[in-house]
Amino acid sequence: MRFAEIIGYVAALLVFLTFYIEMMVPLRIVAMCSNCAFIAYGYLDGLYPILFLHVVLLPLNAMRLNQMIQLSFQVRTAANEDLNMDWIRPFSSVQHIHVGEMLFRRGQPATHMFVIISGRFRLRETGIEIRPGSVVGELSLLAPKHKRTQTLECLEAGEAFCMSLRQLEQLFFQNRTFGFYFLKLITSRMSENLERLEHALVEREQEIRSLNKAFGLSEPSRLVAEEVQETQSRELFHDPSLASLPPC
């Protein structure tokens, strides 16, 4: 068996391994090794179409590998610092928004999440302002019904990174570290929403106690007031305007 044939069999084995490997970074490394082997095989045996193909594929695989390594490093850095998604820029598109424009409306299907770059935005139902650096729309994007629960209007012209569900899914499948980071982001948003709900419940409880004290309610009346409070609490937890705050 000639040396060129041995190189060819090694190259074929490496190609087989690329179909077996699941993780993207090792897959790209093995793919680059197969490119090098096929380049040597094509050169030694004079198979110039194969040689040309893998000369083109080698830098392409190297570029994709570099992107994945940079993404992994940036995600690890971000996971240990504040939740910032500026590093998704290469994997998203920029959307320009004018004053008065609605980025999305309540009840619409959720197809994208956004990272605000500039400008001022407000959630109409709750009056909460969304400022540059904020992530918005990720919860509805992942919710079972994929429906917006609030309307986001533009108060001052600006820009936002726009990322579709398909792009998000691709990053999830290609990089598990990104999945961990995004899980941390979602957990942070859910914790913020829970804190807001608890604060609203405390305020309602204080209102009822103040009314009891002001009107000198008897014990039976207080029991009725407590029942009313409990009913209001249940309604509060099911209020869609409070159940989905900044990320909608």
Side-chain angles (χ1 to χ4, degrees):
M1 183 180 293
R2 295 181 302 118
F3 179 69
E5 289 181 354
I6 297 174
I7 297 295
Y9 284 119
V10 171
L13 177 62
L14 291 171
V15 171
F16 171 78
L17 288 176
T18 61
F19 288 94
Y20 178 77
I21 297 173
E22 295 181 357
M23 300 296 291
M24 289 301 297
V25 171
L27 187 150
R28 292 292 180 184
I29 293 173
V30 173
M32 289 174 63
C33 293
S34 73
N35 293 147
C36 294
F38 271 115
I39 289 171
Y41 176 59
Y43 176 78
L44 293 173
D45 247 16
L47 303 174
Y48 297 110
I50 293 178
L51 174 64
F52 175 77
L53 173 63
H54 288 275
V55 164
V56 173
L57 288 177
L58 180 60
L60 178 61
N61 278 319
M63 181 183 70
R64 296 301 185 193
L65 175 63
N66 181 59
Q67 285 181 341
M68 295 306 300
I69 291 175
Q70 285 186 354
L71 179 62
S72 298
F73 174 76
Q74 290 166 347
V75 170
R76 289 190 181 95
T77 302
N80 294 323
E81 298 175 358
D82 56 345
L83 296 179
N84 190 320
M85 297 193 74
D86 288 344
W87 48 266
I88 71 169
R89 187 174 308 184
F91 304 92
S92 59
S93 58
V94 177
Q95 183 171 336
H96 303 275
I97 306 103
H98 303 287
V99 176
E101 184 177 345
M102 303 298 169
L103 202 56
F104 51 77
R105 295 179 182 273
R106 182 175 180 174
Q108 285 183 338
T111 57
H112 293 80
M113 59 170 277
F114 303 91
V115 181
I116 305 302
I117 304 172
S118 61
R120 287 175 54 236
F121 300 83
R122 181 177 63 192
L123 293 169
R124 177 176 287 182
E125 288 77 7
T126 54
I128 297 174
E129 279 204 19
I130 306 297
R131 297 189 175 275
S134 301
V135 181
V136 64
E138 77 280 6
L139 288 184
S140 294
L141 190 65
L142 299 176
K145 294 184 179 180
H146 300 289
K147 293 288 185 181
R148 299 293 185 194
T149 56
Q150 294 197 61
T151 300
L152 184 65
E153 60 180 341
C154 180
L155 303 178
E156 180 182 310
E159 297 179 335
F161 291 129
C162 179
M163 192 174 191
S164 68
L165 179 60
R166 185 172 181 179
Q167 290 172 316
L168 187 63
E169 288 174 342
Q170 287 175 347
L171 278 178
F172 262 106
F173 285 115
Q174 291 180 9
N175 193 291
R176 294 180 183 177
T177 311
F178 171 81
F180 169 78
Y181 171 81
F182 199 76
L183 178 63
K184 185 175 181 180
L185 174 67
I186 295 296
T187 303
S188 173
R189 299 307 188 198
M190 295 297 288
S191 296
E192 290 174 5
N193 288 355
L194 182 59
E195 287 177 5
R196 291 178 185 273
L197 286 170
E198 290 175 346
H199 181 69
L201 286 173
V202 169
E203 286 184 344
R204 290 197 178 186
E205 183 179 351
Q206 289 175 347
E207 283 181 21
I208 291 174
R209 287 179 178 175
S210 298
L211 289 172
N212 288 343
K213 186 176 181 180
F215 291 98
L217 294 179
S218 60
E219 190 62 28
S221 300
R222 283 184 179 153
L223 291 175
V224 172
E226 288 174 1
E227 290 179 5
V228 172
Q229 179 187 7
E230 185 178 351
T231 303
Q232 289 178 334
S233 299
R234 287 197 298 268
E235 292 174 353
L236 179 63
F237 274 106
H238 290 85
D239 186 349
S241 67
L242 290 173
S244 56
L245 293 169
C248 44

